[in-house]
Amino acid sequence: MARTGKPREGCEGFRRPASRFPGRSGRRRAIALGAVHLLIGLHLLHWVVTGTTLSPVEPSESMYTLENGQVNAGFIFFIVAILSTALLGRWFCGWACHMVALQDLCGWMMRKIGIRPQPFRSRLLGWVPFLLAFYMFLWPTLKRWSLPWFEGQFATVASWIDPVRPWVGFTDHLMVADFWATFPSWWIAIPFFLVCGFATVYLLGSKGFCSYGCPYGAFFSVADRISPMAIVANMDACESCGLCTANCTSNVQISREIKIHSQVVDPGCMKCLDCVDVCPNGVLSFGRGAWNPLAKAIAPTRNTHLSLQGEVSLAILCALIWFSWRGVYAQIPMLMATGIAISVSFLIWKSLQLLRLEDVSLQGQQLRRTGAITTPGLILLAITISSILLTLSAGHTRWNEVQADRHFNEAQVNLDQVLIPGQPPISPQLMESAALAVQHLQRCRHFSRGGFALLEPPGTILEEKLGYMSAVSGDLIGASSWWGLALEEKSSDDLLVRYGQLVELQEGPQALARWLDSQRERLGNRLTLVNLRGDLARRQALSAFQGGQAEAAARHLQALIGWIGEEPELLRNIADLLDQAGISEEATSFRQRAQLSEQNSAPPAGTTDRR
Ligand code: SF4
Ligand code: SF4
């Protein structure tokens, strides 16, 4: 380990050398985190090869257990991790968390090029992980209990809350086939790692995401407080050199805490053991400490970078940015929205400093020197303006998504009521809500396709919803156009049935028959298409028969032969109808074909089971 001279006694500002080589624990931790990623890779491989595997071992999966009762591997893992923290301290974060691995990697790469990320300190933003933990793990249960009361007392407020799914008890979701269902697409994963790794580390410090964005950390820090195990100190040998504090990437004020408690009490300590390695006098070790869950951790000397007004403004800004990005385009996961919110809030705060103060720097880079904005300062301003524009666009789309969902939920009806003749009419209120849903959904389309959004939800979610709401609002031409677009990309059974019903309603049964023929050419003999064609032929035949047109009825059934082949019962029905129409010769021919078909489908003589 390189030392650059002994700092003042208790010097918390002493910086670690940029070229610092990881100590023994650092190397062991790198191996442990590498092994975690290897296990993740093997888990994925198992899914790809076998098609079914253990559900994701990811704490965020616990949300589905608490909200829907789906007991999965992530929930069990999270419980075990919390219990182990309560027993042995916060080892999980430092030795097994892939987000810590990512931040450590980013921090290490930055130190290689001479950047030493210094922590940004904000009191209010420090509550973000607790708020997220509440939202993820407590809110689903609280919502289930409180929503009926809200609906009774404050119907308008209740309409803004997502509907609660009925509780069906706990169900087994340990093994899954759709392993990736709860993860974002790969092209969201890359910006996720850039934002939650590089951006948060560079802007907010080595453990920027852990400090301000990790909801699981809230649980681990509470569990760590009750653990009897800690980094303990033999104070007789301590010279208060401050090296331990300077090397702690979790910003624990080690040398000051051990002076008071003879151990580290800050629940932010991730037991990485860097301080144990770096102490020249072997003062520190991991062991049993004095049990004091209420011991007050020592705050860094410079408690916060912000005034109270600044803290409040930044917190409000962060919340607005978070709501703008959370779930937008049906793509952005909550943790990524959090990473974006804290990073963009910081950028705005720094840019305001840049515009107001004479001298401003960031991570050793001078952004403004004696009143003149430097090139790095201009780059930071450009990044901030771009981030604000992107956030405004995301916020606009998110607002429209929320409004669209609200009207969509109000206007939901069984589509049979719209697409099958003779059903009771849709109420004008529902039609109005559906029309409003269409307006908002159209704004959520990509700007190149007539909307305002930068991205669209994956697949055909938007087109299908637009078709549904257009149909409910009475705009059948619109519905046909949206569902037609959706069908070009995805031909789900439900979509085929609904589009078929729409074709028949608008253009009649002949048009439906032609459309079904075209779909069969495109998709082959799909069971849904065959069923639709069979249903159409039977309805047409019945209608013709009831109108006294036996031959027409026979011809409608005859059209089915091309779809289902020489089916004996069908051929006999056709023969009966032709007989009634007085076309006996052809009727006889159909009966012979029925007989032949039966003989061909009968098992060969001698293969009958005689046991
Ligand atoms: S514990 Fe070791 S590194 Fe920390 S202040 Fe004391 S002597 Fe220095
Ligand atoms: S106090 Fe020591 S063990 Fe804890 S996070 Fe800091 S360097 Fe690691």
Side-chain angles (χ1 to χ4, degrees), residues 111-177:
R111 280 196 296 279
K112 282 278 172 201
I113 54 169
I115 298 171
R116 302 181 197 94
Q118 295 299 302
F120 170 65
R121 297 198 177 99
S122 159
R123 282 196 201 115
L124 273 186
L125 287 193
W127 283 94
V128 169
F130 291 91
L131 289 174
L132 291 177
F134 171 83
Y135 173 76
M136 284 179 81
F137 302 111
L138 301 179
W139 173 236
T141 309
L142 199 65
K143 185 170 74 170
R144 185 173 301 112
W145 289 340
S146 61
L147 196 59
W149 180 82
F150 265 105
E151 280 168 346
Q153 302 292 320
F154 308 102
T156 315
V157 177
S159 73
W160 287 85
I161 300 173
D162 285 345
V164 175
R165 291 195 198 177
W167 179 256
V168 290
F170 289 109
T171 50
D172 180 358
H173 277 250
L174 285 176
M175 299 299 285
V176 289

Side-chain angles (χ1 to χ4, degrees), residues 231 247-250 252 254 264 268-275:
I231 301 294
N247 279 274
C248 175
T249 52
S250 298
V252 177
I254 307 167
V264 170
C269 168
M270 296 182 189
K271 313 295 180 278
C272 68
L273 304 184
D274 281 356
C275 54

Side-chain angles (χ1 to χ4, degrees), residues 195 199-200 203-204 314 317-318 321-322 325 337-351 383-392:
V195 169
T200 56
L203 299 174
L204 307 166
L314 202 69
L317 195 61
C318 187
I321 298 170
W322 187 84
W325 285 98
T338 308
I340 295 173
I342 52 181
S343 301
V344 176
S345 309
F346 177 89
L347 281 170
I348 294 173
W349 170 73
K350 200 50 145 177
S351 297
I383 292 173
T384 306
I385 291 167
S386 310
S387 308
I388 292 172
L389 292 176
L390 286 174
T391 300
L392 286 174

Side-chain angles (χ1 to χ4, degrees), residues 238-244 255 258 279-281 283-284:
C238 178
E239 294 175 348
S240 298
C241 65
L243 264 177
C244 47
S255 63
I258 58 177
C279 174
N281 298 339
V283 172
L284 302 167

